[in-house]
Amino acid sequence: MRIFTGHSETSPQEIDAEAIFDLYSYLLRTFWTEVCGTSLFFSSIFTHTVTVLFILTCALVYVTLLEETPQDTAYNTKRGIVASILVFLCFGVTQAKDGPFTRPHPAYWRFWLCVTVVYELFLIFILFQTVHDGRQFMKYIDPKLGVPLPERDYGGNCLMYDPGNTTDPFHNIWDKMDGFVPAHFLGWYIKTLVIRDWWMCMIISVMFEFLEYSLEHQLPNFSECWWDHWIMDVLVCNGLGIYCGMKTLAWLSMKPYQWQGLWNIPTYKGKIKRIAFQFTPYSWVKFEWKPASSLRRWLAVLGIIFMFLLAELNTFYLKFVLWMPPEHYLVLLRLVFFVNVGGVAMREIYDFMDDPKFHKKLGQQAWLVAAITVTEFLIVVKYDPNTIMLPIPFFIMQCWFLGILLILIWTLWRFFIRCCTVTKWYTLTLTNTHSHSHDITLRYKETRRRKQEAPAGRDCPLGNGSTAAPSGRSKLNGSSETLRQRKS
């Protein structure tokens, strides 16, 4: 194949396209084999600490020497804060300690670790402001914020079929079909991938609905119809998300984790599949929580459930006290943040709980997520204590008191009363078994001693001078000889 290029027909530049294609394929093959075929491709991009430092220094030199500083104080303040955050992120991505996850690249998870630190510092700053200053500070992020917003009431007419509305009798159901329905499904799908246990996911899902029942006198947003709580939320959105999440976990647990270089895969379909699998786990660890196996694991599981529920409540209370509408992008960014850091934190908690001898301290991401959850709750308490302190109805208090009492009684019975009883029974059984084994040993020794003494007693002469009677086998041999003589 020949390609002719040039401006005149008399002097064309003749180029061999096949040779160029072969050269291009060779260079591409060498590049993928040496770099992209392994994790060196990502490492060559993200672990060049000197390169990142050089680029960062060049940017600062440009701002200092070549750019004229604006005279707008508010603009300079915003830009200075953003630049400080970016410098910290550059440092963290290149220098922070790696976590338990390595795919798609450790630098990705180091980035989210630094974002976690920045978010916690932001929450601490908000916590130390007055209520008015804190709410007005949100205007620096978005001028539309800082204005009180009414909460939407999901309750009201709870008829699934409204015969009074001849145009659309099912209008109550369609009114509840907003953007939160797919958000509930996607959220519980991701939570299942994080927790990796069906029972814990269902307990958290049901417990949060009880919390909405209990706190609807504080936040009108929690006021929902019964079928919205148990059918749309628990069964449809949450239940379907948990089911799909468990199916994904089953696929990940059975998937073979055998990695090879990208260029070593012969087909293009295999190469594309290998690129897609770069965003899947490098290996798989199945979470076996076993909460009833020990008191330490039981308390750890209770703590995980409590922190999950508290983080869920913070989502609603924070936007209530900071005057953020539910559809604001900051609310969505917070959820994206917890999606990325929650998986790492849960893995670190499981490693710390499952193997405390190797993991002697709680992981850095888990520590920060716990601190963020507590700080968010403290902001809610400080910014609107009147809402938090609204008295809970008496019958609801009775239900929660009964539930906590049952958990406490079960804990005492399982790990103290039953444990002591089983220990005493095991000790008594072990003692009896040892005594019985000792008796059997003595009997065996006595029987063996008698058998050893028996042959010597049979050969001894009797008192009348005769020998002992022949044994049964001798009698049998004698009768056999007599029978042979008779036959002959």
Side-chain angles (χ1 to χ4, degrees):
M1 178 180 179
R2 303 284 182 176
I3 297 178
F4 296 93
T5 61
H7 298 284
S8 63
E9 297 181 356
T10 57
S11 60
Q13 297 179 356
E14 184 176 322
I15 301 176
D16 192 343
E18 294 182 358
I20 294 177
F21 179 77
D22 293 339
L23 178 62
Y24 174 76
S25 300
Y26 171 76
L27 294 177
L28 186 62
R29 184 184 301 108
T30 304
F31 175 74
W32 280 110
T33 304
E34 298 296 332
V35 179
C36 299
T38 61
S39 61
L40 294 177
F41 172 70
F42 296 97
S43 300
S44 63
I45 295 177
F46 292 110
T47 59
H48 287 172
T49 55
V50 178
T51 304
V52 174
L53 178 61
F54 177 76
I55 295 175
L56 181 62
T57 304
C58 292
L60 295 178
V61 169
Y62 171 80
V63 173
T64 304
L65 301 179
L66 302 179
E67 186 182 59
E68 183 179 357
T69 303
Q71 300 301 318
D72 189 349
T73 304
Y75 173 77
N76 291 334
T77 302
K78 293 180 181 179
R79 194 173 67 157
I81 293 175
V82 172
S84 302
I85 294 174
L86 291 178
V87 171
F88 175 73
L89 292 178
C90 290
F91 167 78
V93 167
T94 56
Q95 300 292 342
K97 186 176 68 172
D98 291 336
F101 291 170
T102 58
R103 291 297 179 88
H105 191 273
Y108 177 81
W109 304 109
R110 292 197 294 264
F111 169 79
W112 283 107
L113 175 65
C114 298
V115 172
T116 308
V117 176
V118 173
Y119 182 54
E120 172 63 11
L121 295 177
F122 170 76
L123 292 176
I124 295 295
F125 177 81
I126 294 294
L127 182 63
F128 276 80
Q129 308 304 310
T130 62
V131 177
H132 177 268
D133 292 342
R135 288 169 175 168
Q136 296 304 312
F137 177 79
M138 302 301 294
K139 287 187 174 182
Y140 287 98
I141 302 175
D142 187 352
K144 297 180 181 179
L145 298 177
V147 180
L149 299 174
E151 284 287 332
R152 179 182 175 183
D153 187 1
Y154 283 76
N157 187 3
C158 291
L159 293 176
M160 299 181 66
Y161 180 83
D162 189 3
N165 191 329
T166 56
T167 304
D168 187 4
F170 298 97
H171 66 94
N172 289 328
I173 297 179
W174 308 131
D175 291 341
K176 304 300 185 294
M177 293 292 181
D178 50 14
F180 290 98
V181 172
H184 273 231
F185 168 78
L186 182 61
W188 275 104
Y189 174 77
I190 298 175
K191 290 173 189 175
T192 307
L193 299 181
V194 170
I195 301 175
R196 306 183 190 181
D197 185 82
W198 185 85
W199 281 105
M200 285 184 63
C201 291
M202 289 303 299
I203 289 173
I204 294 174
S205 176
V206 174
M207 286 292 295
F208 186 75
E209 299 302 323
F210 280 116
L211 284 175
E212 286 187 335
Y213 270 121
S214 305
L215 301 175
E216 62 182 10
H217 66 286
Q218 296 182 1
L219 291 184
N221 194 28
F222 287 158
S223 178
E224 299 177 349
C225 299
W226 65 269
W227 49 268
D228 198 359
H229 279 293
W230 303 112
I231 298 179
M232 292 190 62
D233 286 350
V234 175
L235 294 180
V236 178
C237 299
N238 302 355
L240 188 60
I242 294 173
Y243 174 79
C244 295
M246 293 303 298
K247 288 297 182 181
T248 305
L249 291 174
W251 175 77
L252 290 173
S253 62
M254 295 184 295
K255 172 183 173 294
Y257 292 90
Q258 297 177 357
W259 306 104
Q260 57 179 330
L262 185 63
W263 198 258
N264 296 329
I265 302 174
T267 62
Y268 288 104
K269 182 179 180 181
K271 289 180 171 61
I272 297 175
K273 189 176 180 181
R274 173 63 179 83
I275 295 175
F277 280 168
Q278 181 68 25
F279 298 90
T280 61
Y282 182 79
S283 60
W284 187 250
V285 176
K286 183 179 180 181
F287 287 179
E288 296 180 355
W289 295 102
K290 299 179 181 178
S293 60
S294 65
L295 180 62
R296 185 173 185 271
R297 300 179 76 96
W298 169 249
L299 295 178
V301 170
L302 290 181
I304 292 171
I305 294 175
F306 174 78
M307 295 301 291
F308 252 92
L309 293 175
L310 184 60
E312 292 280 353
L313 290 177
N314 289 340
T315 304
F316 295 90
Y317 278 94
L318 269 180
K319 62 185 181 65
F320 179 78
V321 301
L322 294 179
W323 296 347
M324 290 188 296
E327 63 276 2
H328 197 270
Y329 71 91
L330 289 180
V331 179
L332 179 61
L333 286 180
R334 179 184 175 274
L335 297 178
V336 173
F337 163 77
F338 272 102
V339 165
N340 285 275
V341 304
V344 182
M346 189 60 61
R347 173 63 184 276
E348 292 177 346
I349 292 173
Y350 180 79
D351 291 339
F352 178 71
M353 181 189 68
D354 192 61
D355 191 5
K357 294 183 179 180
F358 183 77
H359 303 276
K360 297 183 179 180
K361 61 180 181 180
L362 187 64
Q364 50 191 3
Q365 193 70 272
W367 191 93
L368 285 170
V369 169
I372 285 174
T373 305
V374 175
T375 307
E376 288 180 343
F377 179 72
L378 293 178
I379 291 174
V380 172
V381 173
K382 179 179 180 179
Y383 277 51
D384 198 352
N386 296 328
T387 300
I388 299 298
M389 297 303 173
L390 286 177
I392 300 177
F394 181 69
F395 70 96
I396 295 179
M397 286 292 296
Q398 286 180 323
C399 294
W400 281 105
F401 178 77
L402 179 61
I404 296 174
L405 182 62
L406 291 176
I407 294 176
L408 181 60
I409 292 175
W410 188 89
T411 302
L412 294 175
W413 174 81
R414 177 63 179 83
F415 299 106
F416 294 95
I417 301 175
R418 181 177 177 272
C419 183
C420 295
T421 304
V422 171
T423 303
K424 292 180 180 179
W425 176 83
Y426 178 75
T427 304
L428 182 61
T429 304
L430 187 62
T431 303
N432 294 335
T433 304
H434 179 71
S435 177
H436 184 64
S437 300
H438 183 66
D439 293 341
I440 292 176
T441 304
L442 292 178
R443 292 177 184 176
Y444 173 74
K445 290 181 179 180
E446 181 66 22
T447 305
R448 186 177 179 183
R449 184 182 63 81
R450 290 179 181 180
K451 287 183 177 181
Q452 290 177 355
E453 295 177 353
R458 289 171 185 167
D459 296 337
C460 295
L462 298 176
N464 53 6
S466 61
T467 60
S471 61
R473 187 174 182 84
S474 301
K475 292 180 179 180
L476 182 59
N477 292 336
S479 59
S480 300
E481 293 293 336
T482 306
L483 184 59
R484 291 174 184 175
Q485 294 175 2
R486 291 179 180 177
K487 287 183 178 181
S488 61

